[in-house]
Amino acid sequence: MRINVDELLLGVAGVSATLLGTFIVGVFFYIDTDMHRRLMASDTADRYLRSGVRWVFVVYALALFASLALAALDTIWGAAAFIALSAILAVSTVDTGRRMLMKGGSGDSSALLVNQWTSTAAVVVLIVLPWIIGGWAPPTSAFVPSILIALAAGFTSTAALIMSQFDATAAMVDS
């Protein structure tokens, strides 16, 4: 059985759009409560959390818009969308990593710390992988593994952000 790459990309775009929409709803509910201010140990941790949320938006956007561009447009336009979104993701990754390294950046959450380093490695891999697989002019199919890595990294980062809030709530209850 042969996999139709365009159908796969459209399916990945649908999953990414669903995860992005759910993430947006979760962030709005979290912001709407006053709990997020009480749980943040410091302004540094709050800035890191904001940077992490921005990173998740960007990685889901890469999975969504690069998939759609590769499925609907010529490969060159899909590659251009992938390159542009990868550049934004790289800048966002550096910003999030810089904020995590600040004293108190990740709060007391080991989930955020581990996730930050694994996500940074995943970003490096997903940015270069299409050109390793497909050469200077990669075909559409060469972008699929990178898009799947982006989707997985977004999902694990969402889980890490949620777990960090559970950790902060548990610490608040203990004290």
Side-chain angles (χ1 to χ4, degrees):
M1 178 172 136
R2 302 230 2 124
I3 295 174
N4 184 333
V5 174
D6 290 339
E7 288 179 14
L8 176 66
L9 288 170
L10 290 175
V12 168
V15 170
S16 182
T18 301
L19 290 172
L20 180 61
T22 305
F23 185 71
I24 289 170
V25 169
V27 168
F28 279 129
F29 276 117
Y30 178 67
I31 290 172
D32 194 34
T33 66
D34 197 36
M35 183 181 286
H36 72 281
R37 290 287 174 212
R38 289 182 286 161
L39 291 179
M40 289 294 100
S42 67
D43 188 47
T44 306
D46 187 49
R47 289 180 190 268
Y48 172 73
L49 182 65
R50 290 171 186 260
S51 181
V53 167
R54 181 174 42 247
W55 187 90
V56 172
F57 282 141
V58 173
V59 78
Y60 280 146
L62 184 140
L64 173 60
F65 294 119
S67 294
L68 289 175
L70 286 163
L73 305 172
D74 291 333
T75 304
I76 188 73
W77 294 110
F82 182 85
I83 290 168
L85 291 165
S86 293
I88 295 168
L89 182 61
V91 170
S92 182
T93 301
V94 169
D95 178 58
T96 305
R98 182 179 61 83
R99 292 186 188 281
M100 185 208 53
L101 291 174
M102 293 178 176
K103 183 176 169 89
S106 64
D108 293 333
S109 177
S110 59
L112 288 179
L113 187 65
V114 170
N115 183 70
Q116 181 63 44
W117 292 112
T118 56
S119 295
T120 299
V123 167
V124 171
V125 170
L126 78 86
I127 288 174
V128 299
L129 195 57
W131 286 269
I132 291 173
I133 293 172
W136 287 106
T140 300
S141 61
F143 291 95
V144 172
S146 291
I147 291 170
L148 292 175
I149 291 170
L151 191 62
F155 183 78
T156 59
S157 294
T158 300
L161 286 169
I162 291 168
M163 292 310 298
S164 72
Q165 294 310 301
F166 282 139
D167 292 345
T169 304
M172 192 170 111
V173 170
D174 289 343
S175 64

